[in-house]
Amino acid sequence: MIQIEKMVSSKPLNCYAPTWDVSFGVTTWEDEAGVDAVTSFLLKKERDILQLEHRGDGGTGLGDYTVTARFGSYNLFDLGKEEPAINDLKRFIQKAYIEFVEQDETPIEDLQIVCWYNIMRKGQKIDTHSHGASPITYLSGNIHLGNYNTKTFYKFPYEPDIEMHVQNKKGQVTFFPGYIQHRTDEYTEDGERLSIAFDLWIQEHGTPTPLKTVTFMNKDIANEIRSS
């Protein structure tokens, strides 16, 4: 079951004061064996991903020699032939997306997904950034692959010093509007901290992109999920 969290402004006291009402969807992929399989696969895949063209780190501060900086040069959901648990994760995200937009009373869209992953090691953090704020910006999301002693912070619109945070838990999936700025605190543990990130793009806009996209949602997929 997905839970909707709200980031809502105070009531404006004049006609020029800003207002916002932002919905976040939070749920958990409870398949621990699947999470572990994806985690193990992505760690082993790191060396291969690092051979791909880098596109900059997207303002995360993680640097060019990271899998983050290869976002769009591959799509995580093209790797399901190598690790079947990735296909199970995709189906879970599709179901969660439908639940989220139906609860939030917005339409199910025909969507493409851009999906990549991040590996952080001790002393690293993700700097404040957003995934875009153009007229076609839609939903973004992240998935955490362990019970890390870190949080993801989401900044209020127009109020960069005010944030809400979400504790990073194993299998946790969070949907949020792509324009929302977000960051993490510093990772202080030994070993790796893995997360998956994605952007959902509405197909009807037909905006050309050099990034690797995969079909995520359409009417046929939605009907199949509802009937399963």
Side-chain angles (χ1 to χ4, degrees):
M1 178 68 68
I2 198 159
Q3 180 177 350
I4 292 185
E5 304 284 350
K6 284 286 193 177
M7 182 185 284
V8 182
S9 61
S10 300
K11 183 179 179 179
L13 299 181
N14 64 72
C15 57
Y16 293 107
T19 62
W20 58 86
D21 184 350
V22 182
S23 296
F24 292 73
V26 182
T27 188
T28 303
W29 189 34
E30 301 283 1
D31 184 352
E32 288 206 21
V35 174
D36 291 342
V38 171
T39 302
S40 177
F41 172 76
L42 294 182
L43 283 171
K44 293 174 183 176
K45 198 71 178 174
E46 180 182 17
R47 182 177 297 180
D48 292 339
I49 299 297
L50 288 174
Q51 303 306 310
L52 302 176
E53 177 186 2
H54 74 78
R55 300 174 177 275
D57 68 3
T60 62
L62 294 177
D64 286 345
Y65 195 68
T66 59
V67 292
T68 303
R70 273 73 186 166
F71 79 95
S73 292
Y74 71 100
N75 195 299
L76 187 140
F77 292 120
D78 282 330
L79 305 179
K81 292 179 181 178
E82 299 179 53
E83 174 46 69
I86 289 175
N87 298 324
D88 297 334
L89 174 59
K90 181 182 178 185
R91 179 48 58 100
F92 178 81
I93 299 170
Q94 288 169 321
K95 290 179 179 178
Y97 164 76
I98 291 173
E99 284 187 45
F100 174 46
V101 296
E102 286 184 341
Q103 283 192 44
D104 205 37
E105 299 182 339
T106 60
I108 295 172
E109 302 282 2
D110 290 344
L111 299 170
Q112 296 284 315
I113 190 169
V114 182
C115 189
W116 65 99
Y117 70 105
N118 311 295
I119 299 177
M120 289 166 55
R121 293 180 168 89
K122 192 171 186 176
Q124 291 186 305
K125 61 184 177 66
I126 293 178
D127 292 340
T128 300
H129 68 289
S130 72
H131 293 195
S134 76
I136 66 168
T137 298
Y138 186 58
L139 290 173
S140 297
N142 55 57
I143 305 133
H144 294 280
L145 301 181
N147 289 312
Y148 307 117
N149 188 26
T150 58
K151 300 179 181 70
T152 300
F153 297 83
Y154 299 92
K155 293 183 176 292
F156 279 48
Y158 315 113
E159 292 281 5
D161 295 329
I162 303 177
E163 302 171 315
M164 77 172 200
H165 70 265
V166 177
Q167 180 70 43
N168 299 149
K169 298 178 181 178
K170 187 173 184 177
Q172 181 178 276
V173 181
T174 304
F175 294 91
F176 58 93
Y179 64 84
I180 293 292
Q181 292 193 321
H182 52 287
R183 66 178 181 89
T184 72
D185 49 8
E186 183 178 328
Y187 182 57
T188 60
E189 301 173 51
D190 296 324
E192 297 86 5
R193 173 194 181 278
L194 273 75
S195 63
I196 295 169
F198 60 85
D199 289 328
L200 299 177
W201 290 357
I202 296 176
Q203 293 187 47
E204 66 186 32
H205 295 298
T207 305
T209 173
L211 305 184
K212 297 280 188 181
T213 61
V214 169
T215 297
F216 178 79
M217 185 58 57
N218 55 42
K219 187 178 295 183
D220 290 339
I221 294 171
N223 289 338
E224 179 190 347
I225 288 173
R226 287 194 182 100
S227 63
S228 63

